[in-house]
Amino acid sequence: MSVKGPVDATVTRARNATETVVADTFTMRGRGRIRRTAPWLGWSAWLLAAASLTLVFELFIVRDDALSATDKAGFLLGNLPSLALATVGAVVISRRPGNIIGWLCCAIGLTQILAGFGGHSAQAALADDPDLGPGWVVLYELGELCWELSWALLALLLLLFPTSRLPSRRWRPAAWAAVAVLVLAAFSGPFLPGPPAPGLPPNPIAIPPLAGLLKLAYGTAGFVLAGLILAALVSLIVRFRRATGVERQQLKWFAYGTALLLLLPVTALVGAELPGLAGNLISAAIFSALPVAIGIAVLRYRLYDIDRLVNRTVVYGLLTVLLAGLYAGLVFALSQLLNPADQQSALAVAASTLAVAALFQPARRRIQAVVDRRFNRRKYDAAKTVEAFSIRLRDEVDLDALTAELLVVVDQTIQPTRASLWLRPSAPDVRRTTP
């Protein structure tokens, strides 16, 4: 009797099990190695971004005598959002190295800071000093390239946010378009012949025989980039309409950070009236809110607070506009009545201030109710249902009716998948009797 067949099968199974164990071991080791090295890579990129910002500031800003101290400080504040984006990327990489959003944030922040080597300050410094060698012109070209690459990376971030995956397979051409922009810009822009900017020497690494092809590739990259950014924004809208649960809350954080950018025209007008760097500081804070919102969304820190934050922002925004308009109108009207000669009256200002202060709480409660009724209908309806049940509770004495009505109220307000009510039976009335 031969046992070769069963023995061979047993050996084969043992070999397959051994290979599986070895593969899993190497996979776990690879993941552990990535988890150990990812934070170092992320914070190394952050250090490179901070060092690059310091170098740009020292080379092109500090040495420019035409810039005042306020302008120099404003340059640093203007780069604060890029450094914030790199910081958020490094934190996300440290916590979730497998999430590509952190790597993209770090890359975008770094490339935007490196773009300072190709900015207006660098152009002015190179034009004023013709003795600078061709290496500075190459550095200027690379700075301009980094600015273009940052926009392509931003479009890729919008396509992949927040799950690190595309909304569907139909968006694969958009992702390939982002890669195409990166490749075309990298292999065309730095090699274009001629001066990279007015007043600068010719590009030392230009390839004149390929001038026509390089210009065509560079123009194609710009055209594709414009369409890519538009497609990325559309993908966010499509993803938000389909999202539920955690993903929807993450997209709300991103939308909130983006909506704050709409305040920039207002802050520009207000900042023009404020002394010093107050306007630049406000603008930098608004720009930095978007990276912070991305970090909160990806790390899922206090994720569901976004609904309350949006609610409070809308309420206090409307309240500020209403009270500011009322204050200006009262000051103008009272000044006309009390001092029509020069239309200035300290009494009008004081009376307007007191009136606005008195109207603050009533106006806030009224606006809060309107906002809840319009934008948070579920909470408004739940409050109304509980209030109506409390009124009926005063007159109802039937326990069965109260039980049924309480279950209905719970279903309407909390909307659980299942609800039941258990009432502990009352203890029997035990009385001691004497024989």
Side-chain angles (χ1 to χ4, degrees), residues 91-113:
V91 172
V92 173
I93 291 172
S94 301
R95 300 293 183 87
R96 303 188 178 210
N99 196 319
I100 197 175
I101 301 300
W103 298 97
L104 287 174
C105 288
C106 206
I108 294 171
L110 177 60
T111 51
Q112 286 182 347
I113 290 176

Side-chain angles (χ1 to χ4, degrees), residues 32-52:
R33 190 179 298 110
I34 291 174
R35 289 184 177 275
R36 288 192 300 270
T37 58
W40 290 99
L41 292 175
W43 288 111
S44 297
W46 182 89
L47 288 175
L48 179 60
S52 300

Side-chain angles (χ1 to χ4, degrees), residues 171-364:
W171 293 94
R172 287 183 178 178
W176 285 112
V179 177
V181 169
L182 293 173
V183 174
L184 289 175
F187 289 96
S188 62
F191 305 104
L192 289 173
L200 299 185
N203 184 11
I205 59 174
I207 308 177
L210 301 179
L213 182 61
L214 292 174
K215 290 181 180 179
L216 178 61
Y218 189 75
T220 303
F223 179 77
V224 174
L225 180 59
L228 178 62
I229 293 176
L230 180 61
L233 294 175
V234 173
S235 72
L236 276 178
I237 298 175
V238 172
R239 191 191 291 267
F240 183 80
R241 294 183 61 183
R242 298 175 180 175
T244 57
V246 172
E247 184 178 353
R248 191 174 185 87
Q249 297 300 112
Q250 291 174 313
L251 291 171
K252 283 183 180 180
W253 274 105
F254 185 86
Y256 181 78
T258 306
L260 291 180
L261 299 179
L262 301 176
L263 299 176
L264 288 176
V266 179
T267 57
L269 295 176
V270 175
E273 303 296 330
L274 296 176
L277 297 170
N280 294 340
L281 185 60
I282 295 174
S283 299
I286 292 176
F287 272 114
S288 301
L290 182 56
V292 173
I294 292 175
I296 293 174
V298 175
L299 296 176
R300 302 181 183 181
Y301 175 74
R302 303 181 69 89
L303 192 61
Y304 284 85
D305 286 353
I306 183 60
D307 295 324
R308 184 178 182 86
L309 184 60
V310 171
N311 185 287
R312 291 294 182 265
T313 302
V314 173
V315 169
Y316 285 102
L318 293 175
L319 182 64
T320 301
V321 173
L322 176 64
L323 294 182
L326 180 62
Y327 177 80
L330 286 176
V331 169
F332 177 77
L334 293 177
S335 298
Q336 291 284 346
L337 293 175
L338 299 176
N339 193 1
D342 56 359
Q343 299 182 1
Q344 293 182 359
S345 175
L347 182 59
V349 174
S352 301
T353 304
L354 292 176
V356 169
L359 290 174
F360 179 82
Q361 286 297 340
R364 187 193 65 80

